[in-house]
Each structure stands twice: as C-alpha cells, then as structure tokens.
Amino acid sequence: MINVIGLGYIGLPTALMLASHGVEVVGTDYNRKLVDTLNEGRTTFKEEGLEELFREAREAGIRFTTEYRRTDTYIVSVPTPYDKFSKKVDAGYVVAAVKDVLKVCPKGATIIIESTISPGTVDKYIRPEIEAMGFRTGEDIHLVHAPERIIPGNMVYELLHNNRTIGADSREIGEKVKECYASFCRGEIVVTDIRTAEMTKVVENTFRAVNIAFANELARICRHDDMNVYEIIRICNMHPRVNILQPGPGVGGHCISVDPWFLVGDYPQLAKVIDESMKTNDSQPTFVLNRIYEIMQKEGITDNRKVGLYGLTYKENVDDYRESPTLQLLEAQERHLARPLKVYDPFIARDITANQYHDFDEFLEGIDLVVIMVKHDHIKRNWEKLKGKIILDCFNICPLEGTYHI
Ligand code: SAJ
C-alpha cells in the first residue's frame, strides 16, 4: 500500500493514477474539508481528464483520510513555498510531513518526496530531522526524491507519458521506487542520486523562466522601436538551433515563478543571469500596466472603469491563480492608488479580488479597453463580442483588426 501525503495539484492526480493502475492507495491530507469533498465523490480542482481518473480510482478502492497510515511506502507531495525576502525554500511542510510519517511507519519504510525542493534540502533539513528522531537513513528509513514534472492543463497525459527522475541513496531503493512508478508511467525513468534529482528539477524550471525572460526582454526592445516581436521570434525559431518561448503579461503559477529563486537565494553571487531573468519576469505585469496607461492616453480614455482585464488565472484553461500576472498587475496598480480595474475570468467562480465580474457580458458592458491577460479557449470563441472594443492582446491571439500588443 502507498500512503500519498498531500492531495493538492500534484498529490491528488498521482494518487489517482497509482490507484487506477492496480496499486492500493490511501490519500492523506490535513485539510478535513478537502478530504470530505473527495470522499463525497467530488474533485477539488479542474483539470483535463481528472474527473474520469477520479472515477476509475474510486472504483479501484482509493481511500481519503486526514490520518497517516502505517505502510512501507509514502509519497510526500506538500507545498514548498519560498521566503520572498531571503529567496530561500521553506521546507517546513515537507519536514513536518516526514516527521508525521515517522510516528507511524515501520522500520525499513521508504519516503518518496515529490515536492519541489532546492538542491541540498534533503541533506540540510530532512535527513537531520530523521536522525534526530533516532532513525538511520539508508537503513531504518529510505529517502527518495522523485520530483514531479507534469504541467497544469495537461497533467493526466503528462503523468502517463513524461520521463521521470528518481533520486535515491542506493541503486537498490531507486530501482524499487522506479518499479512503483512504472506501474503507470510510460516514459523513461532515470535513477540517480538525491542531490542530482533536486538540482535537475529546479534547473528545468529555471531554463524555462530564463527563456521566457528573454522573450519578455525582446518584447520590450521591439516595443521601444516599433518592431513586431512575434514575427521576429517566429522567424528566429525557424533556425534549427533556436527555440525562443513567447512573451506574455508575466510569469505566474507556483513553479516557474518560484523555483529559480531557490538558486538565487542559495547562490546570490553566482546566479546572476537567473536573478536578472526573474526580475524581468516579475516586472512584466508593470510593463503591461504602463502599456495600458499609454493606450488609454492615446485613445482618450480617462476613466479606469472603462478598462477590463480578461483572465485572472496564472495561465490558460486552469483554475489556479497563484502568483498570477493579473493579480501582480492589480497589486502594482494599487500602489498608484488607482481605482481597481474590472476583472473577469470564466474559470474563477468565487470572488478573489475587487471589481471582479462573474458574467462575461456584464464585464464587457461599459468598458472601452479589454486587456487579454490569459489566453483561455473561452476568449477564442468570443471574438465577436469584442468587436468595437479597443483591445490590448498580451499573446498575439486576437484576429480583430487594430488590436494593440505589448
Ligand atoms: N509563459 C510565458 N511564455 C511562454 C510560456 C509560459 O509567458 O512561452 C508563462 C505562462 O503564461 C505562465 C508561466 O509562464 O504564467 C508558467 O507557465 P508554464 O506553462 O510555462 O509552466 P507551469 O508553471 O504551469 O509548469 C511548469 C512546467 N515546467 C517546465 O515546463 C520546465 C512543468 O513541467 C512542471 O511540472 C511545473 O512547472 C512544476 O510543477 O514545477
């Protein structure tokens, strides 16, 4: 039996995937409400294919509880926030989960950490805690780091098909854990040491963050001299060794906008390119805000109430709004003491910010300038409704003539 600890964006799909592939699974989360919701047969977030996977896992007998179970294998998938000032990872939730596991697990159990952690976290924060509780790692307790790599919006597919990394203290344990993931994973599974696994995960997200920062910087250079950044990137990417990502309104989510800071926090004198890239991405919402003011001035719009932001989530077709560029933009706007702009997102049913609308038509009523902050499929089906409005498109997706770009 596997006890999956933490039933959030990663833990839940992983638990469901294992259960629907014949593994006995108990999912544990300290959040009673979340556990009740799952036991009532409802999922806790929207994701392509998740409902069906949930049904299959329930039919296969998955259980959800707030308690830790005694078993030989645990997967820990709890959040790892970072401290905004020191830029260092906060491994507090992972350490707490591991300590709770140790209260119930038998000797010889394997604890697999899936949460993203900065390189060295296992040795600096987790191993010492285990040893302080009287266990010897590598003998009484086997530690493994198996970072997840799935992308929100395509999680179920990627869980099945992505290659995986398993970092373990010994080859034998690594191979054992590999077998467990191989119950559903059709990708290649590489076994390595823990430190390498920690580093590869953070490096992958850092690579993407730096590439996006480069695209955002190009957008600013092109805006400065009125060049078409999209056309330039498109042509550059026709070169066989060039692959530039796309500029956008900023970088959100709990991965690309967070993980690279771990390296800056730990190596401030060395991680210069990464530091600058993160600053570029973080200032992109303010760049968009300035572009909004510029367009308002050009079009003679003097009232904030005439401007609406479309999209609140951190990216398209998901309901996750952590670190979202729209929220970052609103925060920057608030610093100017301005009246908050109108906001609408088809994926967000509850109120999370001021001046938020829940009906698309009501949102559009009375606004002159629509800013496309997220490229949900929903907006691509609704260009008709935007006819006659001034549009600032942060992604170059709008087919309407006269559209402004960042
Ligand atoms: N973005 C751009 N331009 C682009 C691509 C993305 O501005 O060309 C923005 C998005 O709009 C979004 C942010 O970047 O605000 C991040 O989105 P994303 O789709 O690039 O990535 P995440 O954060 O959803 O998921 C990433 C993935 N990492 C990599 O692709 C290397 C995923 O595979 C990881 O599992 C995930 O982080 C994670 O949990 O670490």
Side-chain angles (χ1 to χ4, degrees):
M1 189 253 278
I2 297 185
N3 190 186
V4 177
I5 314 293
L7 299 172
Y9 287 104
I10 302 302
L12 181 64
T14 305
L16 300 179
M17 194 54 93
L18 284 161
S20 64
H21 284 79
V23 180
E24 189 188 349
V25 178
V26 173
T28 298
D29 200 290
Y30 78 101
N31 182 340
R32 152 82 44 205
K33 212 170 132 210
L34 182 145
V35 168
D36 287 347
T37 305
L38 295 172
N39 280 328
E40 283 157 18
R42 286 176 289 128
T43 51
T44 40
F45 61 94
K46 288 193 193 117
E47 179 65 41
E48 177 85 29
L50 191 71
E51 289 291 330
E52 202 186 322
L53 188 65
F54 185 59
R55 226 182 3 260
E56 284 173 29
R58 276 177 41 100
E59 279 164 17
I62 190 168
R63 283 162 293 155
F64 304 106
T65 171
T66 53
E67 264 139 46
Y68 287 61
R69 288 299 164 93
R70 184 177 172 83
T71 185
D72 57 0
T73 310
Y74 296 84
I75 293 181
V76 174
S77 194
V78 295
T80 39
Y82 83 105
D83 183 274
K84 287 207 168 148
F85 295 103
S86 69
K87 309 283 187 214
K88 293 199 179 194
V89 70
D90 172 2
Y93 292 108
V94 180
V95 170
V98 169
K99 282 166 103 173
D100 284 341
V101 165
L102 295 178
K103 287 180 197 155
V104 297
C105 75
K107 280 202 170 169
T110 302
I111 306 178
I112 305 165
I113 294 158
E114 277 215 18
S115 311
T116 304
I117 46 184
S118 65
T121 296
V122 165
D123 285 341
K124 268 188 267 177
Y125 304 107
I126 301 173
R127 217 184 282 280
E129 293 283 350
I130 294 176
E131 296 187 349
M133 285 176 77
F135 296 90
R136 283 161 304 169
T137 54
E139 288 177 43
D140 304 329
I141 293 294
H142 300 291
L143 270 178
V144 171
H145 181 42
E148 57 78 19
R149 280 170 156 171
I150 54 178
I151 195 146
N154 200 22
M155 285 179 160
V156 176
Y157 176 87
E158 291 209 349
L159 254 178
L160 282 169
H161 295 94
N162 280 5
N163 302 325
R164 299 194 75 109
T165 318
I166 310 277
D169 285 336
S170 74
R171 189 88 215 166
E172 189 198 336
I173 293 296
E175 290 297 331
K176 207 181 101 189
V177 171
K178 175 175 173 176
E179 229 171 83
C180 152
Y181 282 103
S183 65
F184 65 83
C185 174
R186 299 180 203 160
E188 190 180 328
I189 305 177
V190 178
V191 175
T192 182
D193 60 90
I194 291 179
R195 185 72 185 237
T196 304
E198 288 173 327
M199 188 67 177
T200 50
K201 166 68 199 193
V202 173
V203 168
E204 287 159 12
N205 279 351
T206 302
F207 171 77
R208 195 161 169 83
V210 171
N211 195 334
I212 295 169
F214 179 58
N216 285 335
E217 188 164 286
L218 288 179
R220 295 179 194 185
I221 293 171
C222 291
R223 170 63 39 223
H224 190 262
D225 260 337
D226 207 17
M227 294 178 272
N228 183 337
V229 70
Y230 303 104
E231 182 69 348
I232 290 164
I233 291 179
R234 189 181 72 80
I235 295 169
C236 290
N237 283 350
M238 290 167 80
H239 185 291
R241 281 172 298 283
V242 175
N243 187 12
I244 308 166
L245 288 168
Q246 294 298 310
V251 171
H254 198 58
C255 313
I256 308 253
S257 72
V258 173
D259 300 355
W261 284 124
F262 299 165
L263 293 175
V264 178
D266 284 344
Y267 308 99
Q269 298 308 321
L270 303 173
K272 301 287 188 201
V273 171
I274 303 169
D275 188 18
E276 271 312 312
S277 301
M278 294 304 279
K279 286 177 183 152
T280 301
N281 289 340
D282 281 358
S283 60
Q284 192 70 356
T286 306
F287 171 71
V288 175
L289 182 61
N290 289 333
R291 187 85 181 111
I292 293 174
Y293 290 148
E294 208 177 273
I295 294 167
M296 284 173 76
Q297 200 169 30
K298 192 165 167 200
E299 297 284 349
I301 304 170
T302 48
D303 188 344
N304 271 356
R305 282 172 296 190
K306 300 271 176 195
V307 181
L309 304 178
Y310 174 89
L312 249 175
T313 60
Y314 86 91
K315 69 173 189 180
E316 68 278 11
N317 306 325
V318 299
D319 61 3
D320 185 348
Y321 52 84
R322 287 176 297 175
E323 322 285 336
S324 100
T326 302
L327 291 175
Q328 292 178 45
L329 187 151
L330 290 170
E331 210 182 295
Q333 194 217 356
E334 214 176 81
R335 285 198 292 272
H336 296 188
L337 298 175
R339 189 199 300 269
L341 304 173
K342 268 176 128 178
V343 190
Y344 168 78
D345 192 306
F347 278 79
I348 308 288
R350 61 193 187 91
D351 275 326
I352 57 165
T353 183
N355 223 355
Q356 185 184 340
Y357 284 69
H358 295 284
D359 182 275
F360 189 44
D361 296 322
E362 271 176 35
F363 161 75
L364 290 177
E365 224 175 83
I367 54 173
D368 293 339
L369 171 59
V370 183
V371 185
I372 301 171
M373 294 292 291
V374 183
K375 52 180 173 145
H376 289 310
D377 288 346
H378 167 268
I379 192 78
K380 298 181 191 162
R381 293 191 297 268
N382 278 292
W383 297 129
E384 272 298 311
K385 290 191 173 174
L386 263 55
K387 275 191 176 156
K389 306 269 184 214
I390 300 158
I391 300 166
L392 169 57
D393 171 7
C394 298
F395 302 94
N396 194 31
I397 52 165
C398 178
L400 300 176
E401 228 164 273
T403 296
Y404 286 100
H405 297 99
I406 52 172

